[in-house]
Amino acid sequence: MQLQTIIVEDEEISREILKKYVAKYCPNVNVIGEASNIEDALVLIRNNELDLVFLDVEMPFGNAFDLLEKVGDRSFETIFVTAYDHYAIEALNSHASYYLLKPISIDDLIKAVDHVVAIKSKEERLAETVLATTIESINGKITIPQQDGFEVLNVSDIIYCKADDNYTEIYINNSKIVVSKTLKYFEEALSQYPFARVHKSYLVNVNEVVKYRKGKGGSVVLSNGKEVLVSSTKKANLLSYFK
């Protein structure tokens, strides 16, 4: 499993050390970008489909927690990297996958990455559920597993799906169902239907789009009044439905 990642660290030397360690000891991690401050990190996060972010806690004009608050819903895992151990509780409350102290131990780095791989592998194994089977066997319907059984939904009734960490919120009119599956899972499961991934956090039913607003990526207004931003990298795919 290859993990797409970025390094967010304000000290250039620290970034270079971590990047070299990752390249040498974590061959399944692909570093696609670096940032030295919150704003640059936010741009990288919004413009890329990431599996993992190495995140320094203290940075100029804010910290890691400010960044995560600006990101909002996220599908990537985080490994906090800091010289201070007193942020551990906050990191835990921010759903960090691992907490590395500087100077970085190579053994701890490998353990951290292995932990993230285990999380992502577990997500993929969720595909072996009743949902995938039902989509293939019952045309136009999906089942949503619940503690006491499962709920059957008409695919056409789904307006949009929203990522919430390792969960997905499914919106039907004004109601919401929360499912312990990733948005990527639903993107693949609903691929035979007119659903478009317009943003890293949103999958929309194209039949429920009532308006498109221009912009770098633009935005779409759905039948229930919800407006969803469209990522610039997803814009072409969305508009292809309306040719």
Side-chain angles (χ1 to χ4, degrees), residues 121-133 181 185:
S121 296
K122 185 176 180 180
E123 291 176 5
E124 289 191 356
R125 288 196 298 272
L126 289 174
E128 300 172 2
T129 65
V130 65
L131 179 58
T133 303
K181 296 185 181 297
Y185 179 86

Side-chain angles (χ1 to χ4, degrees), residues 1-4 28 49-53 74-78 97 112-127 165-166 182-184:
M1 175 182 288
Q2 284 294 118
L3 300 176
Q4 301 293 98
N28 55 340
E49 295 287 338
L50 300 174
D51 299 302
L52 169 64
V53 173
R74 61 185 191 271
S75 58
F76 57 83
E77 301 299 320
T78 54
S97 298
V113 170
D114 285 347
H115 182 64
V116 172
V117 169
I119 293 172
K120 291 297 181 179
S121 296
K122 185 176 180 180
E123 291 176 5
E124 289 191 356
R125 288 196 298 272
L126 289 174
D165 285 333
N166 294 323
T182 64
L183 188 62
K184 182 178 180 181

Side-chain angles (χ1 to χ4, degrees), residues 136-196:
E136 294 175 0
S137 60
I138 306 177
N139 189 35
K141 295 182 183 292
I142 61 172
T143 58
I144 304 300
Q146 297 179 337
Q147 286 187 341
D148 58 350
F150 59 84
E151 182 175 354
V152 180
L153 300 180
N154 290 317
V155 171
S156 59
D157 290 339
I158 299 173
I159 299 175
Y160 70 96
C161 301
K162 179 184 177 184
D164 182 11
D165 285 333
N166 294 323
Y167 293 80
T168 296
E169 299 173 356
I170 300 176
Y171 286 82
I172 304 171
N173 295 322
N174 293 319
S175 63
K176 177 178 74 172
I177 300 171
V178 180
V179 187
S180 59
K181 296 185 181 297
T182 64
L183 188 62
K184 182 178 180 181
Y185 179 86
F186 279 99
E187 181 181 15
E188 294 173 354
L190 294 168
S191 60
Q192 62 180 297
Y193 301 102
F195 280 78

Side-chain angles (χ1 to χ4, degrees), residues 99-113:
Y99 193 89
L100 291 176
L101 284 174
K102 298 177 182 176
I104 296 172
S105 158
I106 293 171
D107 287 340
D108 286 343
L109 173 63
I110 294 172
K111 287 179 183 178
V113 170

